[in-house]
Amino acid sequence: MIIRNYEKKDWKRLNEIHDEARKIELNNAGIPDAYLSLEETYENEGLFDYELLVAEDKTGLVVGFVAFYEEEIAWLYVDPKYHRKGIATKLLSESIEKAGNHIFIEVLENNIEAINLYKKMGFTVVEKKTGKMVGNESFEVTGYILEYKKQ
């Protein structure tokens, strides 16, 4: 597994990964109708305002990505066909290493797998919050804000 910087040639795979994983995420949250594709949301949600890393398997296929900056991990998606193979952990580890000393992430309330991953990596829940879904404000959601403090 190689973690590297995003390149323009990765765009098609990012769309495929996000769109399949996001559908599962929103189904699990009980709001499948809130789904919007990456193509529909990346500009409004500022995807390219963040540092963007991709995970590439040994064949050169991009199988996941993370977008972050010093204080926030904003996007972390892995192709559902590659779940439970340590890819999210590797992407998260790399982003934690490159980010600042105090990092936040927001997670939908029912995204148990993601919450467990973040807790395993040292994040703690600091707030439960209900409000409009970022990127699709016609839906109200409940989620958690988790934080990570480097030692």
Side-chain angles (χ1 to χ4, degrees), residues 11 15 18-19 22-23 33-46 75 135-137:
W11 179 242
N15 279 274
H18 170 274
D19 293 356
R22 184 72 170 159
K23 288 174 188 173
D33 292 341
Y35 169 77
L36 293 172
S37 70
L38 184 61
E39 189 67 46
E40 294 172 292
T41 61
Y42 81 93
E43 286 181 301
N44 287 342
E45 293 187 42
W75 306 68
N136 195 348
E137 287 74 14

Side-chain angles (χ1 to χ4, degrees), residues 60-72:
L61 180 68
V62 173
V63 295
F65 70 95
V66 62
F68 64 95
Y69 73 101
E70 187 165 328
E71 297 175 349
E72 179 188 18

Side-chain angles (χ1 to χ4, degrees), residues 21-32:
R22 184 72 170 159
K23 288 174 188 173
I24 293 168
E25 178 184 16
L26 294 174
N27 278 333
N28 290 343
I31 49 171

Side-chain angles (χ1 to χ4, degrees), residues 8 10 32 39 41 52 58 62 80 85 91 99 135:
K8 286 184 180 184
D10 302 324
E39 189 67 46
T41 61
L52 189 54
K58 61 185 175 189
V62 173
K85 298 189 184 302
L91 285 164

Side-chain angles (χ1 to χ4, degrees), residues 99-137:
N101 291 326
H102 196 209
I103 309 162
F104 291 93
I105 190 161
E106 294 182 23
V107 184
L108 291 173
E109 179 179 38
N110 294 329
N111 194 345
I112 303 303
E113 286 185 19
I115 293 167
N116 289 338
L117 168 67
Y118 299 131
K119 285 182 175 179
K120 179 181 91 173
M121 297 295 293
F123 283 80
T124 57
V125 174
V126 294
E127 185 179 351
K128 183 175 182 178
K129 191 174 178 180
T130 299
K132 299 293 181 184
M133 176 182 278
V134 175
N136 195 348
E137 287 74 14

